[in-house]
Amino acid sequence: MERKIRVLIAKPGLNGHDRGAKVVARALRDAGMEVIYLGMRLTPDQIVNAAIQEDVDVIGLSVLSGAHDTLVPEVMRILKEKGAEDIKVIVGGIIPDDDVKKLKEIGVVEVFGPGTLTPQIVKFIKEIVAKG
Amino acid sequence: MNGIEIVNKVLSGDNRAIAKLISNIENQAPNIDEVLMKLYPHTGNAYVIGVTGATGVGKSTLINGLINHYKSQGLRLGVICIDPSSPITGGAILGDRLRLVNSIDERVFIRSMTTRGYKGGITKSLRDVIRVLDASGKELIIIETIGVSQVDVEIANYVDTLLLVVMPYMGDEIQLMKAGLLEVADIVVINKADLTNSEDMVLAIKENLNSNNGWEVPVIKTVAINGFGIPELINKINEHKNYLLTTNGIEKKRKDRIKEEILEEIFNIVKQNIVGDEKFDEIVKKVFEKEITPHFAAQLLIKKHKFLIFNNCVDV
């Protein structure tokens, strides 16, 4: 039985800078993963609904707007409400150090900032999925 | 979740359970055959529409229009979008859901699937995934193939009504005379019909259509991005459905489909039991050295493994 890693890549909120999300999506694809690319200007509800229906292992949220401290907690809250808190959430974008701590406190497994190399993200996702 | 638990949850329409079961099918989880057996009596109620056509003609956007319409009628919907997986890494970008995201909510179940190396524009688990959505109470299921080529006609064996989506500037009349997809379509949709030569396209297609088992294949112009032509398309889908129901065509289609699936299963079962043969390389060598033909080698292997094949089949 071959188990494919499935990842949802999405940009919550009003933020049009999707190059980073696309680069990460391509890197994960090239690492053999199935990447559901959901695009931008999404509500936390849309993201969680897609993550559940697509049965992904990981949600990757890209935020560069500064609204991470409202949007990411909302995603985490809805995941919990739907009984899907086992889906791992990682965040990428421009996140101040203080906020990284806060995001990790509410259950975000990792935050990848500027300068991250895509192989680091690939390796990280493979590890957390293997751990279950 | 164990087998019975997951079946009960799927039957009650639980999205998480539906999603998990689809993954189990794709990953060929160990108890999957039993689970599907329990689900099977609850299938056969959904109507299945296929949407196929080349890359970039607007299949996803057209489906978006269909979803909005059927949702407003209160229908329970399931959508399966297939995208290609990489022949090199097995990875994939699934980008169809993106075009549907604003028209969907929890009531519309959409699943993106990759081909996982399967040919024909579809994916190996498609039949079972349709059954899961069907058993979960979806009344209408829409399937989007990958961007296909002229001979990817397999989807016709999976659906009740097949839409072939084309667009202007896809080639002249000679292209349309070639055998393939046009022969199996139930409705032809010319999307992006606001482009200049769409009327020429209508004429060229009409000239090259055959009647499909007595059904006069209609050609509809749409501009999916702004909804033009969608009501007419919906009418034609309904007409085709009524045609199948009144002529008993639906029963024939579905029985043909079952026959096709059983034959495929026979092939798979035989193959699975033979592929691990310890003398396989020796036999390949014999064929390579022209001692026997591949045809003879296949018969040799089937004969050799007849008991293995027999013993590995469950008692039904």
Side-chain angles (χ1 to χ4, degrees):
Chain A
M1 146 171 174
E2 195 204 3
R3 192 186 173 293
K4 282 257 172 237
I5 297 177
R6 286 170 69 87
V7 183
L8 180 78
I9 297 288
K11 286 184 62 62
L14 295 174
N15 170 208
H17 298 96
D18 59 356
R19 181 52 49 199
K22 283 175 175 161
V23 167
V24 171
R26 269 290 300 277
L28 301 182
R29 185 201 84 172
D30 291 342
M33 300 179 197
E34 294 185 347
V35 183
I36 293 96
Y37 186 77
L38 205 59
M40 57 184 166
R41 301 194 196 102
L42 301 163
T43 66
D45 260 321
Q46 288 174 319
I47 293 170
V48 173
N49 184 40
I52 288 175
Q53 293 189 352
E54 298 289 354
D55 192 28
V56 294
D57 304 288
V58 177
I59 300 173
L61 297 173
S62 162
V63 195
L64 294 93
S65 63
H68 51 272
D69 51 352
T70 47
L71 292 165
V72 178
E74 191 58 6
V75 170
M76 304 306 286
R77 186 188 68 75
I78 302 170
L79 275 174
K80 201 162 188 189
E81 185 187 291
K82 306 275 181 201
E85 63 265 48
D86 54 309
I87 300 175
K88 311 276 191 295
V89 177
I90 59 175
V91 173
I94 312 287
I95 316 286
D97 290 348
D98 289 351
D99 293 353
V100 170
K101 221 172 117 194
K102 282 187 214 154
L103 292 180
K104 285 191 175 172
E105 273 165 20
I106 58 164
V108 169
V109 289
E110 193 53 276
V111 177
F112 295 98
T116 305
L117 300 175
T118 52
Q120 285 171 257
I121 305 174
V122 169
K123 186 165 169 268
F124 183 82
I125 289 177
K126 282 185 176 166
E127 278 168 11
I128 53 166
V129 171
K131 257 190 251 164
Chain B
M1 275 184 266
N2 68 31
I4 294 174
E5 207 180 325
I6 204 167
V7 169
N8 287 337
K9 281 197 167 171
V10 166
L11 293 178
S12 75
D14 181 282
N15 278 349
R16 195 94 211 270
I18 298 169
K20 288 275 171 212
L21 183 52
I22 293 175
S23 298
N24 287 348
I25 291 168
E26 285 201 284
N27 296 329
Q28 293 169 337
N31 67 341
I32 199 67
D33 291 338
E34 285 165 59
V35 173
L36 290 173
M37 187 83 152
K38 290 199 182 77
L39 213 60
Y40 196 71
H42 304 278
T43 62
N45 303 311
Y47 194 79
V48 187
I49 297 173
V51 180
T52 194
T55 309
V57 294
K59 296 184 291 298
S60 303
T61 310
L62 195 76
I63 288 173
N64 194 46
L66 296 179
I67 291 175
N68 279 326
H69 172 85
Y70 289 119
K71 211 173 71 171
S72 72
Q73 290 192 324
L75 278 183
R76 291 190 296 272
L77 291 179
V79 182
I80 303 167
C81 299
I82 308 169
D83 266 330
S85 54
S86 160
I88 319 286
T89 65
I93 296 282
L94 297 129
D96 295 324
R97 191 180 188 110
L98 153 79
R99 318 217 183 261
L100 312 174
V101 74
N102 288 320
S103 58
I104 58 181
D105 50 41
E106 283 179 312
R107 289 170 303 161
V108 183
F109 191 99
I110 302 195
R111 182 60 173 244
S112 315
M113 299 179 71
T114 76
T115 53
R116 297 204 179 181
Y118 205 69
K119 301 276 192 291
I122 52 172
T123 182
K124 184 169 174 268
S125 335
L126 184 57
R127 285 194 185 94
D128 287 332
V129 176
I130 293 172
R131 286 189 187 120
V132 173
L133 293 179
D134 184 349
S136 78
K138 306 290 178 252
E139 294 152 291
L140 185 76
I141 299 170
I142 302 173
I143 298 164
E144 176 180 354
T145 68
I146 69 165
V148 297
S149 71
Q150 291 162 325
V151 292
D152 291 323
V153 296
E154 278 80 353
I155 183 68
N157 291 326
Y158 289 71
V159 301
D160 300 317
T161 297
L162 179 60
L163 315 185
L164 169 63
V165 189
V166 297
M167 58 177 271
Y169 299 108
M170 281 186 74
D172 65 2
E173 195 195 353
I174 308 298
Q175 298 297 345
L176 296 166
M177 286 163 67
K178 292 178 184 173
L181 267 177
L182 211 51
E183 294 170 278
V184 296
D186 297 306
I187 298 171
V188 178
V189 180
I190 301 178
N191 192 36
K192 309 190 190 184
D194 49 345
L195 295 173
T196 49
N197 72 344
S198 67
E199 202 49 46
D200 294 349
M201 190 92 181
V202 174
L203 291 173
I205 287 175
K206 279 188 174 165
E207 259 177 43
N208 287 291
L209 281 172
N210 306 324
S211 97
N212 199 343
N213 295 318
W215 162 255
E216 226 27 77
V217 179
V219 182
I220 315 279
K221 290 202 285 186
T222 61
V223 184
I225 200 105
N226 65 20
F228 172 84
I230 301 286
E232 198 191 348
L233 175 60
I234 302 273
N235 284 341
K236 288 297 171 193
I237 292 171
N238 288 338
E239 274 177 37
H240 184 244
K241 183 180 176 183
N242 287 336
Y243 168 82
L244 288 180
L245 292 173
T246 51
T247 58
N248 223 12
I250 198 135
E251 190 178 318
K252 188 188 175 295
K253 261 195 179 198
R254 291 184 176 181
K255 278 186 178 160
D256 285 349
R257 218 183 285 167
I258 291 171
K259 198 186 271 180
E260 188 74 25
E261 184 173 1
I262 294 172
L263 289 171
E264 258 178 53
E265 286 295 327
I266 291 172
F267 172 78
N268 287 336
I269 291 168
V270 172
K271 192 174 144 186
Q272 270 164 25
N273 282 291
I274 287 174
V275 82
D277 185 291
E278 75 280 4
K279 299 253 166 73
F280 210 127
D281 285 345
E282 277 176 41
I283 293 168
V284 170
K285 192 164 168 265
K286 277 188 184 168
V287 176
F288 182 76
E289 283 164 2
K290 317 287 181 213
E291 283 174 44
I292 53 174
T293 63
H295 180 74
F296 184 82
Q299 296 193 45
L300 189 94
L301 281 162
I302 291 172
K303 267 194 184 163
K304 185 177 162 197
H305 291 289
K306 62 181 182 222
F307 294 112
L308 183 67
I309 296 166
F310 188 79
N311 290 333
N312 280 344
C313 287
V314 290
D315 292 315
V316 182

